[in-house]
Amino acid sequence: MFTIDDLADRLGSYLPAEEVQQVKRAFYYAEQAHDGQRRRSGEPYVTHPLAVANILANMHMDHQSLMAAMLHDVIEDTGVPKEALAAQFGEPVAELVDGVSKLTQIAFEDKAVAQAENFQKMVLAMSRDIRVIIVKLADRLHNMRTLGALRPEKKRRIARETLEIYARVASRLGINTIRVELEDLSFQAIYPMRAERIKRAVSKARGHRRSAIRQLQTSLQQCLDDEGLAGNVVGRQKHLLSIYRKMRDQQKSFAEIMDVFGFRIITDSVDSCYRILGVVHNLYKPVPGRFKDYIAIPKANGYQSLHTTLFGAGGMPIEVQIRTREMEAMANNGIAAHWLYKAGQTDHPIAEGSHARARQWVKGLLEMQRHAGDSLEFIEHVKNDLFPDDIYVFTPKGDIMELPQGATVIDFAYSVHTDIGNSCIACRIDRHLAPLSTRLESGQTLEIITAPGAKPNTTWLSFVVTAKARSAIRHALKHQQHTESVQLGRRLLNKALADFETSLEELPEGHLAAQLETLSVKHEDELLESIGLGTRMAYALARQLVEALPEGREAPRAPRAAQGDSPVVISGAEGMVIKFARCCHPLPGDPVLGHLSVGKGIVVHRADCRNLNDLKGEPEKLFPLEWSETIAEDFPVALRIEMETRRGLVAELASLVTDADANIERIGIEERDARLAIVNLTLAVRDRIHLARIIKRIRNLPQVGRVGRVRN
C-alpha cells in the first residue's frame, strides 16, 4: 500500500526538504479530519487525497498544489472552514482547496444544473489560480480509477461527465497523459464489453506485429545514426477510445486501423527536428497532404511537433511524430510543464507560453460566463468550444488566429475582440470583399471593416460556431432590446401623458420615482421597458401618475388638446422593438396602425389590414403611426401577377425589376392552364411610389393581364 513516506521520497527528488515537510503536515491534518470516514471500497478515506497528490507528484507539481490535493475534500466532507485552513496552511492553499471543493451541499432540482453550477464555480476559481483545474483533474482521474464500487448507472453518468468536460479540459490544457487515461477509463465505464473486446484485439495484434515494429524502428534509428543526428525512435501506441472512434467515424475495420504503424522521434533541438524530417522523407516516400507543422504553428494548448505519414515497405503506412524533449514534456504534461520547469528554478519559453495560453483560455471562459443566460447555457458553450478541429487564419499584421472548423468571418471578428464583432459590417478575405457568413479556410488573411453605429444581427446566430461569438451576440441583442424598449416606452408614455396635457419632463421632480414601489418595479428603466414590450399599458400608467399628483398642483396649460391622437413617428430602422407585419407588408406612404404585442413591442400593420379587426376590442393596444420623412431602407412587398405562360418569363421579370432598382426576394409560379400562369413575386422596395413605378412597368408587358399587391 502506497504511504506518505513513499510520496515524501518521490517529492524529495525535486522539492526542498521544508516544502516536503509541509506536504506531510497537510497529509496528517487531512488524516485527522477524515478520521472514521471510508470510501465505497472500504478503504480509509485519506487514501484518496494521498493518491491524488501522487498523481500530481508524477507531474512535478509545486508543494502548494500537493497540499491542496491532500486537503481538497476537508471543507466539503468534514466541516472544517476555509478560514481554519488559511490559518494553518496559508491563504493560497485555502483558495485552491475552496476552488476544488464540490457543490454537493446545494440541492439542485436537476443533476445537469448541479454539474453546470459546479463547473462555473471551478472556472471562477481557475481565474484566480490555474492550479485549481490541475488538482481537480487529478482528483477526477483517481475517482475514475476507483469507479468499481459504484452502481452501473452512476458509473455511466460520471464517465459521460468526465468525457464531455474533464477529458476535454485536460486536452485543452495539453495534459495528454491525464486526457488519454480519462478517455479510456470513461470508455470502459460506458461501453465495458466494447472496451474489453478492443483491448483483447489490441493485445493479440501487438503480438503479431512485434517483429515488424522492431524492424521499422531499427531501420529509422539506423538512418539517424548514419546521418549523425541525435534522436531516439520509440513506438507509439493508440489508446482504446481513439481506436473505437476511428472505427465508428471512419467506418474502418480494426485490422485497417492497426495496419498503421506509429513512431515518435525525440531529439534535442528544433533544427534537428527539421533535419530528421528530411532524412525520413529520403528513407520512405511521404504521403501527399499528410504533413503538418505544429512547431511553426502550435495548437491552442501549446502542443508542438512535426507530423508526417510515410509509405513503408510494401506500401504499409507509417505515422511519424518528430519533436524535442521539451515538446515531449509539454505534450504529456501541458500547462503542468510550467511547474515542472519552475521546480528546477529555470523558466522555459515553451512552459511559460503554455501557461499564458491557459490563462487566456480561462479569461475567455469568464467572458462567456458573464454573457451566458444561465449555467446550463454556459456549460453548452464550453462543451462546444473545447478543442474542436482547428483552422489557422491571419490578421492583416500577420498574427495567427486559431478557430474551429466551420468558423465564419463573424467568429473571427469576435475572437479578435468583442467590440470588433459587435461593430463589424464587412470583411476582406485575401483583399477581396466577402460576406460575413463566409466559412473560413486555413491560410486566409482577414481584414474586418467596422462602423461606429453598427449592431449585431439576430441572423448571425444561425451561422456562427464559436461559443464566444454566440454568447457575445446574445448578450448584445439582449442589451439592444432593453435599450430600444426603454426608448419606445418613454415615447409611448409621453404620448399617453399628452392626453392629460403633461409629459414626463413636466411631472414634479421625483414623482415617477416615488410611484415605482407602488408599481412593484425597482428602476425607472424597468418600468419604461415593460411599456415598450407591451406588458404594461402606457395609458393606464399615465392616468395613475396624473391621479397621484400632489393636491393643489395646477395642471399645465400648454395648448395640447389635439396631441392625444398625435401619431408615433417611425423611421423604419427601429431595431428590435418595432417590427413590420408579414401579413400585409406595410410600405412608407401606406396609412399604418401600431399594435402593441406583449413581449415583442410594436407590430406595424397597414390601416386596412384584416388582422386588425380582431383587435378592435382592445383600443388601448392600437394607436396611429406615421412614417418619418427620412427613411433609407428597403421593405418587402408581395405582388400577384396574372400573365401568359411562355419561355423566358422569369428572366424578363427579373431584368425589369433590376432595371427599376429593386431586388427580388422570392418568386413562385402557379400554372393555371397551358396558357395562363400566376406569378407570386416578393420584392424589396423603398416606398409606395417606388412600387407604383415597378407595377407600371410590369403592366406594360404585353403578356400581363392583371397585377396587384397582395392584401393578407
Side-chain angles (χ1 to χ4, degrees):
M1 184 178 166
F2 190 78
T3 66
I4 184 61
D5 292 327
D6 297 330
L7 179 65
D9 289 343
R10 179 171 292 176
L11 296 180
S13 65
Y14 75 94
L15 286 179
E18 63 272 17
E19 291 183 356
V20 175
Q21 201 56 42
Q22 287 182 54
V23 175
K24 288 178 75 172
R25 193 163 67 86
F27 168 79
Y28 293 127
Y29 189 95
E31 186 178 41
Q32 193 174 352
H34 290 296
D35 187 37
Q37 295 180 352
R38 294 195 169 267
R39 304 199 84 211
R40 290 282 178 96
S41 60
E43 295 175 305
Y45 193 89
V46 77
T47 57
H48 168 63
L50 182 61
V52 173
N54 187 42
I55 292 168
L56 295 177
N58 292 336
M59 299 160 70
H60 283 209
M61 288 300 294
D62 65 309
H63 73 292
Q64 288 181 339
S65 302
L66 292 156
M67 290 164 73
M70 293 296 188
L71 302 163
H72 75 271
D73 281 333
V74 166
I75 292 177
E76 179 192 341
D77 292 344
T78 69
V80 174
K82 177 184 168 185
E83 293 73 24
L85 289 184
Q88 280 284 336
F89 303 103
E91 195 64 38
V93 173
E95 284 291 337
L96 282 172
V97 173
D98 188 50
V100 178
S101 293
K102 294 182 280 291
L103 285 174
T104 47
Q105 298 94 333
I106 300 174
F108 291 104
E109 293 176 16
D110 187 344
K111 277 197 166 55
V113 175
Q115 290 169 1
E117 292 279 354
N118 183 26
F119 190 76
Q120 267 194 310
K121 183 186 178 190
M122 197 165 64
V123 168
L124 288 170
M126 282 160 60
S127 68
R128 293 192 290 269
D129 194 332
I130 200 77
R131 291 174 295 180
V132 166
I133 193 64
I134 301 175
V135 178
K136 183 66 182 173
L137 287 171
D139 171 44
R140 179 52 65 113
L141 178 57
H142 186 251
N143 283 334
M144 289 301 296
R145 286 174 179 174
T146 53
L147 273 184
L150 301 179
R151 298 188 309 276
E153 65 273 14
K154 191 169 184 182
K155 276 188 196 178
R156 285 192 290 273
R157 179 178 61 76
I158 292 171
R160 283 200 178 89
E161 183 191 40
T162 301
L163 208 54
E164 288 179 5
I165 297 293
Y166 294 98
R168 295 195 198 186
V169 169
S171 176
R172 193 66 179 72
L173 298 177
I175 310 173
N176 199 46
T177 46
I178 287 184
R179 175 189 68 85
V180 168
E181 194 174 349
L182 285 177
E183 286 183 348
D184 279 353
L185 290 169
S186 300
F187 178 47
Q188 290 171 55
I190 298 169
Y191 301 115
M193 291 178 67
R194 297 179 201 187
E196 186 56 36
R197 289 188 66 179
I198 291 175
K199 196 189 291 185
R200 283 204 301 268
V202 167
S203 180
K204 188 177 176 183
R206 278 181 191 147
H208 293 179
R209 288 153 41 103
R210 216 167 261 137
S211 61
I213 291 172
R214 200 178 296 118
Q215 192 177 340
L216 281 169
Q217 190 171 344
T218 304
S219 169
L220 287 166
Q221 190 68 59
Q222 186 64 48
C223 182
L224 298 186
D225 294 343
D226 290 346
E227 295 292 331
L229 292 169
N232 184 31
V233 182
V234 293
R236 189 169 54 83
Q237 297 179 354
K238 291 182 174 68
H239 63 288
L240 301 182
L241 185 61
S242 165
I243 294 169
Y244 173 70
R245 279 176 173 162
K246 283 189 176 178
M247 289 172 68
R248 184 192 63 192
D249 299 342
Q250 299 175 16
Q251 299 292 301
K252 287 185 175 180
S253 67
F254 178 79
E256 285 178 288
I257 290 166
M258 293 305 286
D259 274 350
V260 178
F261 292 82
F263 294 95
R264 187 169 294 144
I265 301 175
I266 314 297
T267 186
D268 53 5
S269 68
V270 172
D271 180 58
S272 297
C273 289
Y274 288 102
R275 290 172 66 194
I276 289 170
L277 178 72
V279 168
V280 297
H281 279 188
N282 256 340
L283 180 64
Y284 297 116
K285 288 276 184 271
V287 177
R290 294 295 301 274
F291 167 67
K292 287 181 180 168
D293 187 345
Y294 292 120
I295 292 179
I297 304 176
K299 288 187 177 182
N301 60 3
Y303 175 88
Q304 287 185 288
S305 187
L306 297 177
H307 288 199
T308 186
T309 304
L310 313 167
F311 288 113
M316 86 174 68
I318 305 168
E319 292 177 349
V320 180
Q321 298 174 352
I322 307 166
R323 61 181 72 149
T324 66
R325 290 181 186 85
E326 290 87 353
M327 291 172 192
E328 173 73 354
M330 262 302 302
N332 291 328
N333 297 307
I335 184 179
H338 175 79
W339 282 276
L340 187 149
Y341 285 105
K342 286 285 184 188
Q345 298 306 306
T346 56
D347 292 344
H348 195 281
I350 295 179
E352 291 291 340
S354 169
H355 191 240
R357 271 187 290 268
R359 294 208 67 81
Q360 190 61 34
W361 177 63
V362 173
K363 187 179 171 186
L365 287 183
L366 282 174
E367 191 172 339
M368 269 191 265
Q369 188 179 37
R370 283 197 299 273
H371 292 168
D374 56 37
S375 55
L376 285 177
E377 183 183 326
F378 168 66
I379 205 108
E380 274 311 305
H381 288 336
V382 173
K383 283 183 192 176
N384 294 336
D385 207 43
L386 281 173
F387 212 63
D389 294 327
D390 299 322
I391 59 169
Y392 298 92
V393 293
F394 297 90
T395 67
K397 292 182 179 177
D399 297 329
I400 298 169
M401 300 291 289
E402 185 180 33
L403 293 165
Q405 199 75 37
T408 62
V409 170
I410 296 291
D411 291 301
F412 171 81
Y414 278 103
S415 71
V416 174
H417 197 280
T418 304
D419 291 343
I420 301 281
N422 285 340
S423 59
C424 88
I425 55 167
C427 169
R428 288 191 182 91
I429 299 178
D430 295 331
R431 299 185 182 178
H432 299 291
L433 280 171
L436 295 177
S437 58
T438 305
R439 303 267 175 212
L440 303 177
E441 296 174 9
S442 281
Q444 292 176 327
T445 299
L446 280 80
E447 180 188 351
I448 299 296
I449 301 164
T450 60
K455 296 173 184 175
N457 193 316
T458 49
T459 56
W460 291 1
L461 290 170
S462 64
F463 55 76
V464 295
V465 299
T466 59
K468 181 177 181 182
R470 190 173 297 280
S471 60
I473 292 166
R474 282 185 176 152
H475 179 71
L477 290 174
K478 282 178 194 170
H479 177 71
Q480 187 179 330
Q481 185 182 40
H482 168 74
T483 305
E484 291 170 0
S485 301
V486 170
Q487 290 171 352
L488 177 61
R490 187 177 296 278
R491 287 164 69 183
L492 294 177
L493 184 56
N494 266 326
K495 179 183 177 300
L497 286 169
D499 286 340
F500 301 96
E501 297 189 344
T502 186
S503 70
L504 277 172
E505 290 71 28
E506 293 176 7
L507 289 174
E509 189 177 345
H511 180 63
L512 181 59
Q515 299 301 310
L516 293 181
E517 192 174 340
T518 313
L519 297 164
S520 303
V521 290
K522 294 178 181 175
H523 308 289
E524 182 181 324
D525 280 1
E526 188 182 336
L527 179 66
L528 297 174
E529 182 183 17
S530 66
I531 297 170
L533 289 174
T535 54
R536 197 184 293 267
M537 291 296 103
Y539 187 81
L541 178 62
R543 177 182 290 279
Q544 187 176 339
L545 288 172
V546 170
E547 287 175 353
L549 283 170
E551 285 186 28
R553 177 188 180 276
E554 189 177 341
R557 304 211 172 267
R560 320 173 166 239
Q563 281 211 4
D565 294 324
S566 62
V568 174
V569 177
I570 53 172
S571 65
E574 300 286 334
M576 301 180 71
V577 292
I578 293 188
K579 298 176 176 65
F580 297 91
R582 294 181 181 179
C583 52
C584 54
H585 291 304
L587 292 179
D590 286 332
V592 283
L593 279 175
H595 164 238
L596 201 55
S597 177
V598 176
K600 294 180 180 177
I602 294 179
V603 181
V604 182
H605 291 263
R606 284 164 60 185
D608 59 355
C609 178
R610 286 203 299 270
N611 288 341
L612 289 178
N613 293 335
D614 301 334
L615 305 166
K616 298 292 185 190
E618 299 177 291
E620 72 280 359
K621 288 191 175 182
L622 290 175
F623 41 84
L625 303 172
E626 73 176 25
W627 298 95
S628 165
E629 293 180 5
T630 56
I631 297 177
E633 65 176 278
D634 291 343
F635 295 80
V637 63
L639 296 180
R640 177 185 166 90
I641 308 166
E642 292 182 14
M643 60 192 303
E644 293 176 15
T645 307
R646 66 175 181 78
R647 185 177 293 176
L649 177 71
V650 173
E652 192 168 350
L653 275 174
S655 174
L656 185 148
V657 169
T658 305
D659 290 345
D661 198 22
N663 290 317
I664 295 178
E665 291 192 348
R666 196 178 298 112
I667 189 166
I669 300 176
E670 305 169 22
E671 289 193 1
R672 276 285 181 85
D673 50 42
R675 197 175 62 85
L676 283 178
I678 305 293
V679 179
N680 295 306
L681 198 62
T682 304
L683 306 176
V685 299
R686 289 188 295 277
D687 50 31
R688 282 185 69 173
I689 297 168
H690 188 197
L691 176 64
R693 233 176 25 244
I694 294 168
I695 290 176
K696 185 176 179 182
R697 287 188 175 208
I698 293 172
R699 281 194 177 128
N700 286 338
L701 291 173
Q703 297 82 14
V704 172
R706 283 193 294 180
V707 55
R709 189 170 164 188
V710 177
R711 297 173 185 270
N712 294 81

